[in-house]
Amino acid sequence: MDNAMQPDDTPELRALYRAFEDKHMNPLWTQLGDLMPAHPKPRAVPHVWKWAEMLPLAEESGRLVPVGRGGERRAIGLANPGLGGHAYVSPTLWCAIQYLLPGENAPEHRHSQNAFRFVVEGEGVWTVVNGDPVRMSRGDLLLTPGWNFHGHHNVADRPMAWIDGLDIPFSQQMDVGFFEFGAERVTDNATPNFSQSERLWCHPGLRPLSQLQDSVSSPIGAYRWEFTDRALTEQLLLEDEGNPATVELGHAAIRYVNPTTGGDVMPTIRCEFHRLRAGAETLRRQEVGSSVFQVFEGSGAVVLGGETHRLDKGDLFVVPSWVPWSLEAETQFDLFRFSDAPIMERLHVMRTQVENG
Protein backbone atom coordinates (compact mmCIF):
# COMPACT_ATOMS: atom_id res chain seq x y z
CA MET A 1 0.00 0.00 0.00
CA ASP A 2 1.59 3.25 -1.14
CA ASN A 3 2.19 5.85 1.57
CA ALA A 4 0.56 3.71 4.26
CA MET A 5 1.69 4.83 7.75
CA GLN A 6 4.36 7.12 6.28
CA PRO A 7 4.56 10.16 8.54
CA ASP A 8 5.77 13.56 7.43
CA ASP A 9 9.53 14.03 7.54
CA THR A 10 10.00 16.55 10.35
CA PRO A 11 12.84 17.40 12.73
CA GLU A 12 10.78 15.87 15.52
CA LEU A 13 10.39 12.59 13.58
CA ARG A 14 14.11 12.43 12.83
CA ALA A 15 14.83 12.99 16.52
CA LEU A 16 12.44 10.16 17.36
CA TYR A 17 14.23 7.79 14.94
CA ARG A 18 17.61 8.76 16.46
CA ALA A 19 16.24 7.95 19.89
CA PHE A 20 15.00 4.58 18.64
CA GLU A 21 18.46 3.81 17.27
CA ASP A 22 20.18 4.91 20.47
CA LYS A 23 17.97 2.57 22.53
CA HIS A 24 18.36 -0.34 20.06
CA MET A 25 14.76 -0.16 18.86
CA ASN A 26 13.36 -0.40 15.34
CA PRO A 27 9.82 0.65 14.37
CA LEU A 28 7.72 -1.93 12.54
CA TRP A 29 6.25 0.55 10.06
CA THR A 30 9.65 1.09 8.38
CA GLN A 31 10.36 -2.61 7.77
CA LEU A 32 7.07 -4.48 7.39
CA GLY A 33 7.73 -5.44 3.75
CA ASP A 34 10.97 -7.18 4.73
CA LEU A 35 9.59 -8.87 7.83
CA MET A 36 6.34 -10.12 6.31
CA PRO A 37 6.69 -10.49 2.52
CA ALA A 38 3.85 -11.78 0.38
CA HIS A 39 5.90 -14.92 -0.26
CA PRO A 40 9.38 -16.19 0.75
CA LYS A 41 12.20 -13.99 -0.56
CA PRO A 42 15.32 -15.97 0.29
CA ARG A 43 18.77 -14.40 0.50
CA ALA A 44 20.17 -17.75 -0.66
CA VAL A 45 20.27 -18.04 -4.44
CA PRO A 46 20.00 -21.03 -6.78
CA HIS A 47 23.48 -22.25 -7.63
CA VAL A 48 25.23 -25.20 -9.32
CA TRP A 49 28.61 -26.61 -8.30
CA LYS A 50 30.35 -28.71 -10.97
CA TRP A 51 31.98 -31.92 -9.70
CA ALA A 52 34.66 -31.66 -12.41
CA GLU A 53 35.71 -28.33 -10.87
CA MET A 54 35.39 -29.29 -7.21
CA LEU A 55 37.24 -32.61 -7.25
CA PRO A 56 40.60 -31.18 -8.46
CA LEU A 57 40.45 -28.59 -5.67
CA ALA A 58 39.79 -31.34 -3.13
CA GLU A 59 42.73 -33.28 -4.54
CA GLU A 60 44.97 -30.22 -4.20
CA SER A 61 43.83 -29.75 -0.61
CA GLY A 62 44.84 -33.38 -0.02
CA ARG A 63 48.35 -32.48 -1.13
CA LEU A 64 48.59 -29.34 0.99
CA VAL A 65 46.39 -29.80 4.08
CA PRO A 66 46.87 -32.63 6.62
CA VAL A 67 44.00 -34.26 8.50
CA GLY A 68 44.10 -33.99 12.28
CA ARG A 69 43.18 -32.02 15.35
CA GLY A 70 42.48 -28.37 14.76
CA GLY A 71 40.68 -28.85 11.47
CA GLU A 72 39.40 -32.37 12.16
CA ARG A 73 38.26 -33.01 8.58
CA ARG A 74 39.49 -32.16 5.09
CA ALA A 75 36.02 -30.93 4.18
CA ILE A 76 35.32 -28.02 1.84
CA GLY A 77 31.93 -26.41 2.37
CA LEU A 78 29.77 -25.12 -0.47
CA ALA A 79 29.18 -21.40 0.08
CA ASN A 80 25.92 -20.09 -1.33
CA PRO A 81 26.71 -16.80 -3.16
CA GLY A 82 23.76 -15.09 -1.50
CA LEU A 83 24.77 -15.81 2.10
CA GLY A 84 27.66 -13.44 2.59
CA GLY A 85 30.61 -15.81 2.39
CA HIS A 86 29.43 -18.31 4.99
CA ALA A 87 30.08 -21.95 4.11
CA TYR A 88 26.32 -22.55 4.10
CA VAL A 89 24.63 -24.09 1.10
CA SER A 90 21.33 -22.71 2.48
CA PRO A 91 20.21 -20.96 5.68
CA THR A 92 19.59 -24.34 7.33
CA LEU A 93 21.90 -26.80 5.55
CA TRP A 94 25.64 -27.38 5.16
CA CYS A 95 27.15 -29.43 2.35
CA ALA A 96 30.81 -30.22 1.74
CA ILE A 97 33.08 -32.40 -0.31
CA GLN A 98 35.34 -34.42 2.00
CA TYR A 99 38.60 -35.98 0.82
CA LEU A 100 40.65 -38.69 2.56
CA LEU A 101 44.00 -40.02 1.38
CA PRO A 102 45.18 -43.65 1.61
CA GLY A 103 46.17 -44.58 5.16
CA GLU A 104 44.70 -41.44 6.70
CA ASN A 105 42.63 -41.35 9.90
CA ALA A 106 40.19 -38.54 10.58
CA PRO A 107 40.09 -38.39 14.41
CA GLU A 108 36.92 -39.16 16.30
CA HIS A 109 34.66 -36.45 17.66
CA ARG A 110 30.99 -35.84 18.25
CA HIS A 111 28.65 -32.88 17.93
CA SER A 112 24.99 -32.13 18.43
CA GLN A 113 24.56 -31.36 14.72
CA ASN A 114 23.08 -34.19 12.64
CA ALA A 115 25.21 -35.43 9.76
CA PHE A 116 25.24 -37.88 6.86
CA ARG A 117 27.59 -38.93 4.08
CA PHE A 118 26.69 -39.85 0.51
CA VAL A 119 29.18 -41.57 -1.77
CA VAL A 120 29.02 -40.75 -5.48
CA GLU A 121 32.10 -42.85 -6.33
CA GLY A 122 34.91 -44.82 -4.70
CA GLU A 123 35.36 -47.24 -1.83
CA GLY A 124 37.91 -48.23 0.78
CA VAL A 125 36.87 -45.95 3.63
CA TRP A 126 35.18 -47.08 6.82
CA THR A 127 33.45 -44.61 9.12
CA VAL A 128 33.33 -45.73 12.75
CA VAL A 129 30.17 -44.54 14.53
CA ASN A 130 30.03 -45.16 18.28
CA GLY A 131 32.54 -47.97 17.82
CA ASP A 132 30.70 -49.62 14.90
CA PRO A 133 32.77 -49.73 11.65
CA VAL A 134 30.58 -48.94 8.63
CA ARG A 135 31.77 -49.56 5.07
CA MET A 136 31.43 -46.60 2.69
CA SER A 137 30.77 -47.55 -0.93
CA ARG A 138 29.34 -46.01 -4.07
CA GLY A 139 25.68 -45.07 -3.76
CA ASP A 140 25.53 -45.59 0.00
CA LEU A 141 23.90 -43.17 2.44
CA LEU A 142 25.64 -43.23 5.82
CA LEU A 143 24.25 -41.60 8.95
CA THR A 144 25.92 -39.91 11.90
CA PRO A 145 23.05 -38.57 14.03
CA GLY A 146 23.79 -35.87 16.56
CA TRP A 147 26.06 -36.70 19.52
CA ASN A 148 27.41 -39.95 18.04
CA PHE A 149 31.20 -40.31 18.15
CA HIS A 150 32.57 -40.83 14.64
CA GLY A 151 35.83 -40.93 12.70
CA HIS A 152 36.98 -42.24 9.31
CA HIS A 153 39.94 -44.24 8.02
CA ASN A 154 41.02 -45.08 4.48
CA VAL A 155 42.44 -48.59 4.04
CA ALA A 156 42.54 -48.42 0.22
CA ASP A 157 45.47 -47.53 -2.01
CA ARG A 158 43.70 -44.49 -3.49
CA PRO A 159 41.96 -41.37 -2.17
CA MET A 160 38.22 -41.18 -1.71
CA ALA A 161 35.83 -38.23 -1.90
CA TRP A 162 32.22 -37.98 -0.79
CA ILE A 163 29.73 -35.33 0.29
CA ASP A 164 28.78 -34.47 3.86
CA GLY A 165 25.43 -32.95 4.76
CA LEU A 166 24.68 -31.37 8.14
CA ASP A 167 22.26 -28.98 9.82
CA ILE A 168 25.11 -26.69 10.97
CA PRO A 169 23.52 -23.36 9.88
CA PHE A 170 20.24 -24.18 11.62
CA SER A 171 22.08 -25.29 14.76
CA GLN A 172 24.26 -22.18 14.73
CA GLN A 173 21.35 -19.78 14.28
CA MET A 174 19.42 -21.47 17.09
CA ASP A 175 22.50 -21.54 19.41
CA VAL A 176 22.10 -25.25 20.19
CA GLY A 177 25.53 -26.61 19.16
CA PHE A 178 27.85 -28.72 21.32
CA PHE A 179 31.14 -30.39 20.34
CA GLU A 180 33.48 -32.88 22.01
CA PHE A 181 36.78 -34.46 20.97
CA GLY A 182 37.08 -38.24 20.93
CA ALA A 183 39.94 -40.65 20.21
CA GLU A 184 42.90 -39.48 18.13
CA ARG A 185 42.34 -42.42 15.77
CA VAL A 186 39.30 -44.54 15.01
CA THR A 187 38.51 -46.87 17.90
CA ASP A 188 38.01 -49.95 15.72
CA ASN A 189 40.15 -50.63 12.65
CA ALA A 190 38.05 -53.59 11.50
CA THR A 191 36.68 -53.53 7.95
CA PRO A 192 33.52 -55.67 8.01
CA ASN A 193 31.34 -55.83 4.93
CA PHE A 194 28.28 -55.02 7.05
CA SER A 195 28.10 -52.98 10.23
CA GLN A 196 26.52 -54.18 13.46
CA SER A 197 23.60 -51.81 12.90
CA GLU A 198 22.89 -53.31 9.47
CA ARG A 199 23.08 -56.86 10.80
CA LEU A 200 20.53 -55.98 13.46
CA TRP A 201 18.14 -53.71 11.53
CA CYS A 202 18.36 -54.29 7.78
CA HIS A 203 15.91 -57.14 7.29
CA PRO A 204 12.83 -55.98 5.33
CA GLY A 205 9.69 -55.64 7.42
CA LEU A 206 11.32 -57.10 10.53
CA ARG A 207 12.15 -55.40 13.83
CA PRO A 208 14.25 -56.92 16.61
CA LEU A 209 12.29 -57.43 19.81
CA SER A 210 15.32 -56.23 21.72
CA GLN A 211 14.86 -52.76 20.19
CA LEU A 212 11.20 -51.83 20.58
CA GLN A 213 11.78 -48.28 21.80
CA ASP A 214 11.47 -45.67 19.06
CA SER A 215 14.54 -43.55 18.35
CA VAL A 216 14.74 -39.89 17.26
CA SER A 217 17.15 -40.79 14.44
CA SER A 218 17.46 -43.98 12.44
CA PRO A 219 19.56 -46.72 14.08
CA ILE A 220 20.76 -47.86 10.63
CA GLY A 221 24.34 -46.84 9.90
CA ALA A 222 24.24 -47.40 6.14
CA TYR A 223 21.51 -47.52 3.50
CA ARG A 224 23.06 -49.61 0.73
CA TRP A 225 22.91 -48.74 -2.95
CA GLU A 226 21.86 -52.24 -4.02
CA PHE A 227 18.53 -51.84 -2.21
CA THR A 228 17.98 -48.25 -3.40
CA ASP A 229 18.69 -49.26 -6.99
CA ARG A 230 16.36 -52.27 -6.80
CA ALA A 231 13.51 -50.20 -5.33
CA LEU A 232 13.76 -47.60 -8.09
CA THR A 233 14.06 -50.25 -10.81
CA GLU A 234 10.95 -52.04 -9.57
CA GLN A 235 8.92 -48.80 -9.45
CA LEU A 236 9.61 -48.17 -13.13
CA LEU A 237 8.90 -51.80 -14.03
CA LEU A 238 5.58 -51.60 -12.19
CA GLU A 239 4.80 -48.40 -14.09
CA ASP A 240 5.49 -50.28 -17.35
CA GLU A 241 2.93 -52.86 -16.23
CA GLY A 242 0.29 -50.18 -15.66
CA ASN A 243 0.52 -50.09 -11.86
CA PRO A 244 0.62 -46.90 -9.74
CA ALA A 245 4.19 -46.96 -8.41
CA THR A 246 5.89 -43.72 -9.48
CA VAL A 247 5.42 -40.11 -8.32
CA GLU A 248 5.14 -38.85 -11.93
CA LEU A 249 5.33 -40.52 -15.32
CA GLY A 250 8.86 -41.83 -15.67
CA HIS A 251 9.87 -40.54 -12.22
CA ALA A 252 10.67 -43.10 -9.52
CA ALA A 253 11.63 -41.93 -6.03
CA ILE A 254 12.26 -43.24 -2.53
CA ARG A 255 12.65 -41.69 0.91
CA TYR A 256 15.13 -43.11 3.39
CA VAL A 257 13.28 -43.73 6.68
CA ASN A 258 13.85 -44.43 10.34
CA PRO A 259 12.58 -48.01 10.82
CA THR A 260 11.47 -47.31 14.40
CA THR A 261 9.02 -44.56 13.42
CA GLY A 262 8.60 -44.66 9.64
CA GLY A 263 9.62 -40.99 9.64
CA ASP A 264 12.74 -39.21 8.44
CA VAL A 265 16.18 -40.62 9.13
CA MET A 266 17.04 -37.60 11.31
CA PRO A 267 14.87 -34.92 12.94
CA THR A 268 16.24 -32.04 10.86
CA ILE A 269 17.21 -33.63 7.53
CA ARG A 270 15.21 -35.55 4.91
CA CYS A 271 17.03 -37.79 2.43
CA GLU A 272 15.61 -39.07 -0.85
CA PHE A 273 16.73 -40.61 -4.13
CA HIS A 274 15.14 -39.86 -7.52
CA ARG A 275 15.40 -41.63 -10.87
CA LEU A 276 14.04 -40.28 -14.16
CA ARG A 277 13.75 -42.26 -17.36
CA ALA A 278 15.62 -40.88 -20.36
CA GLY A 279 13.51 -38.08 -21.79
CA ALA A 280 11.33 -37.66 -18.69
CA GLU A 281 10.55 -34.25 -17.19
CA THR A 282 9.14 -33.40 -13.78
CA LEU A 283 6.44 -30.86 -13.13
CA ARG A 284 7.59 -27.45 -11.98
CA ARG A 285 7.24 -27.04 -8.23
CA GLN A 286 7.87 -24.56 -5.43
CA GLU A 287 8.46 -25.58 -1.82
CA VAL A 288 9.05 -23.84 1.48
CA GLY A 289 12.51 -24.75 2.80
CA SER A 290 15.66 -25.65 0.91
CA SER A 291 16.96 -28.73 -0.89
CA VAL A 292 20.31 -29.89 -2.25
CA PHE A 293 20.67 -32.42 -5.07
CA GLN A 294 23.68 -34.36 -6.32
CA VAL A 295 23.70 -36.17 -9.65
CA PHE A 296 24.66 -39.79 -8.99
CA GLU A 297 24.55 -41.04 -12.57
CA GLY A 298 23.47 -39.87 -16.00
CA SER A 299 22.99 -36.44 -17.51
CA GLY A 300 20.18 -33.95 -17.78
CA ALA A 301 19.26 -30.49 -16.58
CA VAL A 302 17.60 -28.58 -13.78
CA VAL A 303 15.48 -25.49 -14.42
CA LEU A 304 16.01 -23.16 -11.44
CA GLY A 305 13.97 -19.98 -11.31
CA GLY A 306 13.49 -20.16 -15.07
CA GLU A 307 17.18 -20.71 -15.89
CA THR A 308 18.32 -24.07 -17.31
CA HIS A 309 21.54 -25.65 -16.02
CA ARG A 310 23.00 -28.76 -17.64
CA LEU A 311 24.12 -31.43 -15.16
CA ASP A 312 26.50 -34.38 -15.20
CA LYS A 313 27.67 -36.97 -12.69
CA GLY A 314 28.65 -35.49 -9.33
CA ASP A 315 27.26 -32.00 -9.93
CA LEU A 316 25.42 -30.41 -7.00
CA PHE A 317 22.77 -27.71 -6.94
CA VAL A 318 20.73 -25.94 -4.27
CA VAL A 319 17.07 -24.95 -4.45
CA PRO A 320 16.33 -22.13 -1.98
CA SER A 321 12.90 -21.66 -0.45
CA TRP A 322 10.06 -21.06 -2.93
CA VAL A 323 12.35 -20.99 -5.99
CA PRO A 324 10.60 -22.82 -8.88
CA TRP A 325 12.44 -25.91 -10.09
CA SER A 326 12.03 -28.90 -12.38
CA LEU A 327 14.22 -31.68 -13.78
CA GLU A 328 14.80 -32.85 -17.35
CA ALA A 329 16.49 -36.19 -18.10
CA GLU A 330 18.69 -36.66 -21.12
CA THR A 331 19.75 -40.19 -20.17
CA GLN A 332 18.51 -42.19 -17.20
CA PHE A 333 18.99 -39.58 -14.51
CA ASP A 334 19.74 -40.57 -10.89
CA LEU A 335 19.88 -37.91 -8.18
CA PHE A 336 20.35 -37.94 -4.40
CA ARG A 337 18.44 -35.24 -2.54
CA PHE A 338 18.49 -33.88 1.01
CA SER A 339 16.40 -31.11 2.52
CA ASP A 340 15.27 -29.35 5.70
CA ALA A 341 11.68 -30.57 5.20
CA PRO A 342 11.38 -32.17 8.68
CA ILE A 343 11.97 -28.76 10.27
CA MET A 344 9.42 -27.05 8.04
CA GLU A 345 6.81 -29.75 8.58
CA ARG A 346 7.26 -29.86 12.34
CA LEU A 347 6.87 -26.07 12.52
CA HIS A 348 3.78 -26.32 10.27
CA VAL A 349 5.14 -23.80 7.75
CA MET A 350 5.61 -26.28 4.89
CA ARG A 351 3.84 -25.32 1.69
CA THR A 352 4.20 -26.85 -1.79
CA GLN A 353 2.87 -25.60 -5.12
CA VAL A 354 2.99 -27.83 -8.20
CA GLU A 355 2.05 -26.68 -11.69
CA ASN A 356 -0.89 -28.42 -13.34
CA GLY A 357 0.19 -31.36 -15.52
Side-chain angles (χ1 to χ4, degrees):
M1 297 173 61
D2 292 339
N3 301 317
M5 276 193 74
Q6 296 305 310
D8 294 333
D9 183 13
T10 65
E12 293 83 2
L13 181 68
R14 282 183 238 129
L16 176 63
Y17 285 168
R18 286 194 297 271
F20 284 155
E21 185 176 357
D22 183 58
K23 299 303 180 184
H24 305 287
M25 301 168 70
N26 204 340
L28 176 64
W29 61 85
T30 64
Q31 55 182 321
L32 185 61
D34 292 330
L35 291 179
M36 298 180 182
H39 57 79
K41 295 182 178 179
R43 289 189 301 117
V45 297
H47 192 75
V48 176
W49 289 265
K50 304 297 289 184
W51 189 251
E53 297 171 351
M54 292 190 296
L55 189 57
L57 295 174
E59 291 169 345
E60 182 68 359
S61 73
R63 189 178 71 84
L64 298 174
V65 181
V67 169
R69 291 295 186 219
E72 295 293 303
R73 303 288 187 261
R74 191 185 292 111
I76 307 141
L78 308 186
N80 190 294
L83 297 179
H86 292 291
Y88 300 164
V89 74
S90 84
T92 52
L93 299 172
W94 195 80
C95 182
I97 177 173
Q98 186 170 163
Y99 193 75
L100 201 63
L101 293 170
E104 283 189 325
N105 269 258
E108 293 195 351
H109 62 215
R110 65 177 176 177
H111 39 72
S112 51
Q113 294 87 350
N114 295 291
F116 71 81
R117 288 155 240 306
F118 180 75
V119 185
V120 72
E121 58 186 346
E123 59 183 17
V125 170
W126 269 254
T127 182
V128 181
V129 181
N130 282 345
D132 186 10
V134 186
R135 169 176 54 89
M136 296 176 61
S137 300
R138 173 171 161 76
D140 294 345
L141 170 67
L142 306 111
L143 302 184
T144 309
W147 216 236
N148 284 244
F149 277 113
H150 55 283
H152 324 302
H153 65 124
N154 188 347
V155 301
D157 59 0
R158 63 184 62 188
M160 184 170 165
W162 62 87
I163 65 164
D164 293 334
L166 296 93
D167 56 8
I168 289 174
F170 176 76
S171 175
Q172 191 166 43
Q173 291 181 61
M174 298 298 105
D175 291 323
V176 297
F178 292 87
F179 180 91
E180 184 178 316
F181 290 120
E184 293 293 322
R185 299 176 63 84
V186 294
T187 50
D188 192 331
N189 286 295
T191 56
N193 199 36
F194 296 104
S195 62
Q196 297 168 28
S197 66
E198 293 169 84
R199 293 167 60 195
L200 184 61
W201 282 100
C202 293
H203 307 285
L206 305 176
R207 181 170 181 172
L209 286 178
S210 62
Q211 306 290 324
L212 292 182
Q213 185 173 354
D214 290 350
S215 57
V216 172
S217 296
S218 172
I220 297 174
Y223 291 76
R224 298 297 177 191
W225 169 242
E226 61 184 289
F227 303 118
T228 304
D229 181 41
R230 181 176 176 183
L232 297 165
T233 298
E234 291 297 337
Q235 286 185 23
L236 291 174
L237 288 173
L238 286 165
E239 181 185 81
D240 287 339
E241 297 164 9
N243 296 300
T246 53
V247 292
E248 299 171 281
L249 185 63
H251 179 189
I254 59 96
R255 181 179 299 172
Y256 302 90
V257 298
N258 176 350
T260 74
T261 63
D264 288 294
V265 290
M266 291 183 288
T268 54
I269 298 176
R270 174 166 295 166
C271 294
E272 300 174 346
F273 202 100
H274 295 253
R275 172 173 291 170
L276 275 66
R277 296 183 192 272
E281 298 181 4
T282 69
L283 296 175
R284 193 185 79 144
R285 64 187 63 232
Q286 295 169 266
E287 298 157 317
V288 166
S290 50
S291 292
V292 179
F293 289 77
Q294 183 175 35
V295 178
F296 179 69
E297 195 65 76
S299 59
V302 60
V303 183
L304 283 169
E307 184 174 349
T308 300
H309 304 266
R310 194 181 185 284
L311 301 168
D312 295 297
K313 179 179 175 180
D315 293 349
L316 292 118
F317 64 90
V318 61
V319 184
S321 186
W322 213 241
V323 170
W325 66 276
S326 61
L327 296 170
E328 301 171 354
E330 181 181 326
T331 67
Q332 178 174 293
F333 204 27
D334 286 1
L335 303 100
F336 171 76
R337 177 190 188 185
F338 70 99
S339 73
D340 56 14
I343 300 173
M344 303 304 149
E345 290 178 354
R346 188 157 296 186
L347 294 176
H348 300 282
V349 297
M350 173 59 83
R351 182 180 294 192
T352 301
Q353 181 172 294
V354 183
E355 71 176 7
N356 293 325

